Amino acid sequence: MYRILVADAIKPEGLTPLMDSPEITLIQKTVDEAADELDTIDALLVRSATTVTEDLINAMPKLSIIARAGVGIDNIDVEAATKRGIVVVNAPDGNTISTAEHTFAMMASLVRHIPQAHSSVKNKEWKRSAFTGTELNRKKLGIVGMGRIGGEIAKRAQVFGMEVLAFDPFLTSERAKAMNVELLTLDKLLSQADIITVHTPLTNETRGLLNIDNLRKCKKGVYLLNCARGGIIDEEALYELILEGHIAGAAFDVFVEEPPLHNKLLELDSVIVTPHLGASTKEAQLNVATQVAEEVLIFLEGKPVSNSINLPAISKEMFQKIQPYYQLVKSMGATAAQCMKEGIQEISVTYSGDATSFDTSILTKSLISGFFKTRLDIPVNEVNAMLIAQERGVTIGEKVASDSSGYKNYIAAVIKGDNRQFEIKGTFVANYGPRIVSINGFNIDFNPEGNLLYIQHTDRPGVIGRVGKILGDHEVNIATMQVGRKEAGGEAIMVLSFDKPLSNEMYEKINNLDDITFMYRIAL
Ligand SMILES: NC(=O)c1ccc[n+]([C@@H]2O[C@H](COP(=O)([O-])OP(=O)(O)OC[C@H]3O[C@@H](n4cnc5c(N)ncnc54)[C@H](O)[C@@H]3O)[C@@H](O)[C@H]2O)c1
Ligand SMILES: O=C(O)CC[C@@H](O)C(=O)O
C-alpha cells in the first residue's frame, strides 16, 4: 500500500489513475494538516503553494517521489531530495500553451491599458485619450529564454506582425533560424526591443538577470513582462526606472514574494498584475494533474519515469530495451562491493554489443547504486548514486567497446580499490536471464541471485569434494554450483548458491580447509 499526500490544489479529474489504484491511498491535505502522518507518506504531489524544504523532506522518511504539477521546481529543494535518493518529477509541457496565452493577453492589456481603462469605466468615467495605446504590429518583441513557452509566444507574436528577438545561451542558431527569430546577446536584445518578456527558470544565473545596470540600456519607453518567476527582473530596479520614466510599464504574473503584500510595483498605475495565473486554466490544470499522476503511478510500479529532474529521461520504448540489463548491472555492482572489503577509487563500466544501442548512463548509475547499497545504510538508488560516489571521491567512467567477446551483449565493470582491482563481466541471455560470465579473468557462468558463496582455491583434486562434504554433513543444500579456472593446477574459483544464507559456522569450516585462497559470501 502506498500513501500519497496531495498537498496543493491539484485537479481531481487528473488524479483518477491514482484514485483507481487499489494499492494507493490519496490524502488531500496541506503539509500542516498532515503533520501527524508525514512519516507514513510515500509520494508527495504539489503545485507552487507548498515549499518542499529539506526539513519537510526529512520529516518524511518513507518518501520516494516528489511530483510537481507544473514546470518550475524552484519551490522544491531538489538537492536535498537527490541526496536522499528521492525522484523529483514535473509536468513540463502541460501548461505551456496556457502560460503563453496568458503572457500574450498581458502584453496586449499592457500596451492598450485595458485594466486601467476597465477600472476607469467601472468608476463611471469616460476618459478615452488618457488610454491611448500602442500597436503590437511591427514592434520588436525581445524574448529572454526561448524554451517551450518562449517558443509559443514567438509564434503568436509573428502572427501579430511582430519581429522577434531572442536571447537564450542554449538556443542554437539553426533552431533560431527555424523559428524565424533573431538570436542576439542580452545587451543587444535589451537595446533593440520595444517589449521584453522573460521565460527562463529562476536559477542563480537568472535571478536579477534584468537589473538596474542592463535595464538602463533598454530603449526609453520599453515595456517589460514577467510571467515566469519573480526575481528574474529585479523588482526594485524596475520600480526606479518606471518612476524615472525610462520604462513605460510592466505586466507581472509572478513576484519575489507571493502574494506581493509589500511590493512597491503595485503602487504604480503603469504596472498591471495577476496572481500567478499563467497556468490557471481548466486545460492546463487537467494536463499537469494527469501527467504527474501517470508519472507517480509508473514510478510506484517500479518503471522509470519520463520527466524526472534528477534522473535521465527514459521513454516507454527505451525502458523495454534497458529493462533486461537492470538486474544484471545492479547485481554486478553488489557482487563487486561484497568481494572488495576496501576503499575504492574508481568504477569504470564498458558496454558492448546490443548494450550500446541506447543511453547507458542510467545503467551505470544502477551499477553504482548496487555497489554502494551494500556498504551504506542510507537509501541508495539511481537518483543519488553519482552524488554518493562523488562525495566519496570515487571516479566514474563509462565507455563503449566494439569487442563483445562473442556475446550478444556484454557489460564489464572494473573497480579499482586502494590495494587491488576487481573485474566483473556480465551478459543478458534472452529467455534465460542475467549471467555473470567472468570474475577477475576466471570464466564462469552463474545467475547473480540469492545467497552465493564465491571461493577462490588451488585447482587440485578433492577441493570441490571437501567443500561439498562439509555442507552435506551439515545438511546444507547446494542449489547450484559453477566452477572456472584459468589453467590446470593453478588458481580456480567456484560459485555456489544456497536456499538460505550460509551460517558463520559453515563459512569458517570451509574457509579453514586447505587449498582455499579466500572466499566471500554474497547476498543479492
Ligand atoms: N506563470 C506561470 O504560471 C508559469 C507557468 C509555467 C511556467 N512558468 C515559468 O516559466 C518558465 C519557463 O517555462 P518553459 O516551460 O518555457 O521552460 P523551458 O525549460 O522550456 O524554457 C526555459 C528556457 O530558458 C532558457 N534559459 C535558461 N537559463 C537561461 C539564461 N540564463 N538566460 C536566458 N535563457 C535561459 C533555457 O535554455 C530554456 O530554453 C518556468 O521555468 C517557470 O518558472 C510560469
Ligand atoms: O501551480 C501553478 O499554478 C503555477 C505553475 C507554474 O508556475 C509552473 O511553473 O508550472
Side-chain angles (χ1 to χ4, degrees):
M1 259 327 251
Y2 298 106
R3 290 170 61 78
I4 301 182
L5 179 62
V6 183
D8 290 337
I10 298 179
K11 208 168 177 62
E13 293 92 309
L15 301 179
T16 316
L18 298 175
M19 288 170 180
D20 288 350
S21 167
E23 296 291 305
I24 288 172
T25 305
L26 274 193
I27 301 146
Q28 311 225 16
K29 291 181 181 174
T30 65
V31 165
D32 287 343
E33 287 163 357
D36 290 348
E37 43 192 327
L38 291 180
D39 58 347
T40 67
I41 300 300
D42 300 282
L44 174 66
L45 266 62
V46 296
R47 272 174 68 184
S48 53
T50 300
T51 305
V52 186
T53 60
E54 183 161 17
D55 284 349
L56 177 58
I57 290 171
N58 289 340
M60 297 194 252
K62 292 179 73 190
L63 191 65
S64 57
I65 182 165
I66 301 170
R68 161 73 164 100
V71 186
I73 34 114
D74 45 306
N75 58 324
I76 298 171
D77 189 337
V78 178
E79 203 180 312
T82 303
K83 248 192 224 162
R84 271 268 314 274
I86 297 167
V87 174
V88 180
V89 294
N90 70 348
D93 52 13
N95 60 28
T96 302
I97 299 295
S98 291
T99 309
E101 287 184 358
H102 188 75
T103 308
F104 217 82
M106 291 288 267
M107 183 159 52
S109 302
L110 182 65
V111 298
R112 299 303 293 270
H113 316 298
I114 291 172
Q116 297 90 335
H118 167 89
S119 300
S120 170
V121 177
K122 290 254 174 161
N123 282 334
K124 316 275 183 238
E125 294 171 347
W126 195 252
K127 295 179 174 173
R128 297 181 61 223
S129 60
F131 299 120
T132 304
T134 312
E135 279 186 358
L136 294 176
N137 187 37
R138 303 183 67 169
K139 296 295 178 308
K140 290 186 178 178
L141 174 66
I143 303 182
V144 177
M146 187 57 95
R148 287 175 291 258
I149 297 171
E152 289 300 327
I153 290 168
K155 282 189 213 161
R156 284 152 182 76
Q158 283 154 355
V159 174
F160 267 66
M162 301 181 87
E163 192 182 318
V164 180
L165 316 175
F167 167 68
D168 189 324
F170 307 104
L171 185 71
T172 60
S173 43
E174 290 77 30
R175 177 106 182 95
K177 204 168 162 202
M179 294 168 106
N180 195 22
V181 303
E182 189 181 354
L183 193 54
L184 296 176
T185 62
L186 181 58
D187 278 359
K188 282 215 168 111
L189 178 145
L190 294 180
S191 65
Q192 294 180 23
D194 300 297
I195 302 171
I196 298 165
T197 183
V198 294
H199 297 284
T200 69
L202 181 67
T203 63
N204 287 338
E205 284 75 47
T206 62
R207 198 181 303 276
L209 186 65
L210 271 57
N211 50 55
I212 193 73
D213 297 324
N214 60 16
L215 284 175
R216 284 200 192 281
K217 296 176 184 160
C218 292
K219 279 185 184 173
K220 193 168 182 321
V222 69
Y223 285 104
L224 292 189
L225 290 103
N226 187 357
C227 293
R229 274 297 177 274
I232 300 170
I233 301 176
D234 185 317
E235 292 173 351
E236 288 282 330
L238 176 64
Y239 178 79
E240 212 172 293
L241 293 170
I242 291 179
L243 282 189
E244 281 179 22
H246 189 72
I247 294 175
F252 270 43
D253 182 45
V254 288
F255 306 87
V256 172
E257 181 198 18
E258 289 183 9
L261 301 177
H262 311 96
N263 197 316
K264 287 192 292 182
L265 286 173
L266 271 62
E267 297 163 9
L268 303 175
D269 278 349
S270 55
V271 174
I272 64 168
V273 290
T274 45
H276 203 147
L277 288 185
S280 294
T281 62
K282 288 180 222 144
E283 295 84 354
Q285 286 314 306
L286 182 60
N287 289 343
V288 294
T290 310
Q291 276 184 2
V292 290
E294 279 168 4
E295 286 281 83
V296 169
L297 201 59
I298 283 173
F299 175 81
L300 295 176
E301 284 168 357
K303 297 178 193 157
V305 289
S306 317
N307 297 317
S308 172
I309 305 301
N310 50 6
L311 271 179
I314 299 182
S315 64
K316 280 185 190 133
E317 299 70 41
M318 190 54 75
F319 177 60
Q320 301 295 339
K321 280 187 165 188
I322 287 181
Q323 198 184 20
Y325 304 102
Y326 257 118
Q327 181 55 30
L328 173 65
V329 289
K330 273 237 158 77
S331 60
M332 285 170 67
T335 302
Q338 293 171 76
C339 295
M340 286 195 88
K341 309 278 183 210
E342 60 182 81
I344 61 152
Q345 291 142 14
E346 189 182 323
I347 300 179
S348 58
V349 194
T350 306
Y351 297 89
S352 42
D354 288 357
T356 60
S357 62
F358 42 75
D359 176 6
T360 48
S361 64
I362 186 93
L363 293 181
T364 302
K365 288 183 175 139
S366 295
L367 190 144
I368 295 161
S369 74
F371 185 92
F372 283 109
K373 210 171 190 155
T374 60
R375 291 189 166 197
L376 303 173
D377 62 358
I378 53 169
V380 187
N381 55 27
E382 289 80 6
V383 174
N384 57 0
M386 287 300 195
L387 198 69
I388 284 174
Q390 196 189 337
E391 281 170 357
R392 282 155 186 77
V394 179
T395 313
I396 305 299
E398 184 181 312
K399 58 181 187 225
V400 160
S402 51
D403 174 23
S404 61
S405 296
Y407 292 97
K408 215 163 168 287
N409 57 75
Y410 196 52
I411 302 175
V414 178
I415 295 95
K416 285 197 182 127
D418 292 340
N419 305 302
R420 67 195 185 94
Q421 177 166 304
F422 186 86
E423 289 178 26
I424 182 163
K425 296 172 179 169
T427 187
F428 181 86
V429 184
N431 305 322
Y432 205 44
R435 309 296 297 179
I436 301 297
V437 293
S438 169
I439 290 185
N440 290 333
F442 292 101
N443 289 333
I444 189 127
D445 179 7
F446 67 94
N447 178 16
E449 199 179 59
N451 304 295
L452 307 178
L453 182 66
Y454 172 100
I455 304 175
Q456 189 158 328
H457 60 94
T458 312
D459 181 33
R460 187 167 291 158
V463 181
I464 296 173
R466 274 181 278 144
V467 171
K469 182 164 183 335
I470 291 180
L471 293 167
D473 286 351
H474 291 81
E475 309 230 315
V476 177
N477 191 34
I478 301 174
T480 64
M481 181 177 190
Q482 311 292 330
V483 292
R485 66 179 186 185
K486 291 181 189 168
E487 61 193 49
E491 282 288 280
I493 62 169
M494 57 179 121
V495 177
L496 297 91
S497 76
F498 307 102
D499 301 326
K500 287 190 289 193
L502 196 66
S503 69
N504 289 343
E505 187 198 352
M506 280 300 90
Y507 180 86
E508 289 307 329
K509 280 199 156 95
I510 298 171
N511 203 19
N512 287 336
L513 285 175
D514 285 345
D515 300 317
I516 303 289
T517 317
F518 53 80
M519 49 189 242
Y520 305 112
R521 269 178 291 192
I522 304 167
L524 297 174

